[in-house]
């Protein structure tokens, strides 16, 4: 009987996974597309538990790349507020700040931009950063005690860049993010070096990442935060 229930659970999980994979995002980058190897009823590893504990008072706000943190069970759902196609403008319109207030995080990590630079406007960088600044201002107003750190947009593969030339603007966009962070006095962490050091961790689309990328990302963020604290 237990075996039958487990098989039913795995089948249902696979059906849901296929449904998610089939959903489009109106031309925006797709959610992580790694082959699902997790089975229903799997128990979290000690490593996963340690990340959940380490970032239990944090929330990562972002798009489908950030969503990989919870999609791959590296962090709990309550510590991730992200979704495919999310931009700084949408984060404001979707009332993500209200949701942050409900969760009461002590530290907020924002990683938006991979969809912003694809926005169909004459000056997507300037357009996006104006909303990014508004988003941070709104968070500061509602959660004045919370620390805020911007994470840079992760680069894509040469193949993905060739397919979508606007990704060539990621480096310039990240410069804008760093300047914005300095201007509004929040933290900034450039995570580009992680991708450069681990090019094998890309997903098939050359934009998103496999599950093994996310623990490395969190370790890097943790170390950079410690470095910034010691430099004060």
């Amino acid at each position: 009987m237990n075996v039958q229930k487990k098989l039913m659970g795995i089948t249902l999980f696979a059906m849901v996974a296929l449904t998610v994979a089939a959903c489009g995002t109106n031309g925006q980058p797709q959610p992580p597309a790694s082959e699902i190897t997790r089975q229903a009823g799997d128990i979290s590893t000690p490593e996963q538990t340690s990340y959940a504990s380490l970032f239990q008072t944090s929330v990562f706000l972002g798009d489908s790349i950030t969503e990989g943190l919870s999609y791959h069970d590296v962090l709990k759902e309550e510590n991730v507020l992200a979704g495919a196609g999310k931009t700084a403008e949408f984060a404001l319109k979707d009332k993500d700040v209200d949701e942050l207030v409900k969760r009461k995080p002590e530290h907020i990590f924002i990683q938006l931009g991979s969809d912003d630079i694809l926005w169909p406007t004459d000056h997507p960088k300037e357009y996006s950063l104006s909303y990014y600044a508004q988003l941070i201002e709104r968070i500061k107003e509602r959660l004045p005690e919370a620390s805020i750190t911007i994470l840079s947009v992760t680069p894509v593969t040469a193949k993905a860049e060739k397919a979508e030339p606007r990704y060539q603007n990621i480096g310039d966009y990240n410069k804008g993010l760093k300047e914005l962070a300095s201007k509004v006095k929040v933290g900034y962490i450039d995570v580009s070096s992680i991708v450069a050091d681990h090019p094998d961790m890309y997903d098939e689309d050359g934009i998103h990442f496999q599950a093994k990328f996310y623990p490395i990302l969190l370790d890097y963020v943790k170390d950079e935060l410690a470095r910034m604290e010691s430099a004060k």
Side-chain angles (χ1 to χ4, degrees):
M1 186 68 175
N2 290 335
V3 173
Q4 183 178 9
K5 286 184 177 180
K6 184 173 181 182
L7 288 173
M8 290 175 65
I10 294 173
T11 301
L12 178 59
F13 186 84
M15 290 173 64
V16 172
L18 287 171
T19 301
V20 171
C23 292
T25 56
N26 297 323
Q28 300 294 344
Q30 302 295 307
S34 297
E35 179 181 358
I36 297 175
T37 56
R38 292 177 285 114
Q39 292 187 356
D42 280 352
I43 300 175
S44 298
T45 65
E47 183 182 62
Q48 290 172 322
T49 302
S50 67
Y51 290 119
S53 176
L54 185 63
F55 291 96
Q56 63 180 335
T57 60
S58 300
V59 171
F60 285 76
L61 171 63
D63 50 38
S64 57
I65 294 174
T66 309
E67 189 180 25
L69 286 164
S70 55
Y71 179 87
H72 293 297
D73 293 332
V74 180
L75 291 181
K76 297 179 179 179
E77 291 283 350
E78 56 262 35
N79 298 113
V80 181
L81 180 57
K86 181 76 70 174
T87 66
E89 181 180 6
F90 288 162
L92 282 167
K93 291 183 176 180
D94 294 344
K95 299 182 178 180
D96 285 359
V97 178
D98 289 345
E99 181 60 30
L100 285 173
V101 171
K102 291 179 183 178
R103 301 189 190 188
K104 301 177 181 179
E106 295 179 8
H107 204 135
I108 301 163
F109 297 92
I110 309 176
Q111 189 176 33
L112 293 164
S114 63
D115 291 308
D116 297 70
I117 62 174
L118 303 179
W119 199 248
T121 185
D122 291 338
H123 305 285
K125 174 185 173 183
E126 291 76 10
Y127 184 87
S128 166
L129 292 180
S130 68
Y131 281 103
Y132 220 123
Q134 292 177 51
L135 176 62
I136 292 173
E137 181 181 6
R138 189 80 55 83
I139 294 172
K140 284 187 170 185
E141 289 175 353
R142 303 288 303 279
L143 293 165
E145 300 301 318
S147 297
I148 301 173
T149 300
I150 295 174
L151 303 183
S152 67
V153 177
T154 49
V156 302
T157 63
K159 183 179 179 180
E161 193 175 278
K162 184 177 180 180
E164 174 47 80
R166 287 176 292 182
Y167 283 129
Q168 296 174 12
N169 299 321
I170 289 177
D172 183 57
Y173 186 84
N174 282 337
K175 290 180 181 178
L177 283 180
K178 186 175 182 180
E179 292 170 359
L180 174 63
S182 177
K183 181 179 179 180
V184 300
K185 301 186 185 309
V186 299
Y188 176 79
I189 297 178
D190 186 346
V191 300
S192 301
S193 63
I194 305 175
V195 183
D197 293 340
H198 302 280
D200 60 319
M201 293 191 177
Y202 277 107
D203 216 330
E204 293 179 1
D205 63 3
I207 300 168
H208 296 90
F209 297 93
Q210 300 173 41
K212 58 185 178 181
F213 167 79
Y214 291 95
I216 295 175
L217 172 66
L218 293 182
D219 281 334
Y220 187 82
V221 168
K222 170 178 65 70
D223 292 343
E224 283 296 294
L225 287 177
R227 183 187 63 78
M228 289 189 290
E229 281 296 319
S230 63
K232 289 182 178 179

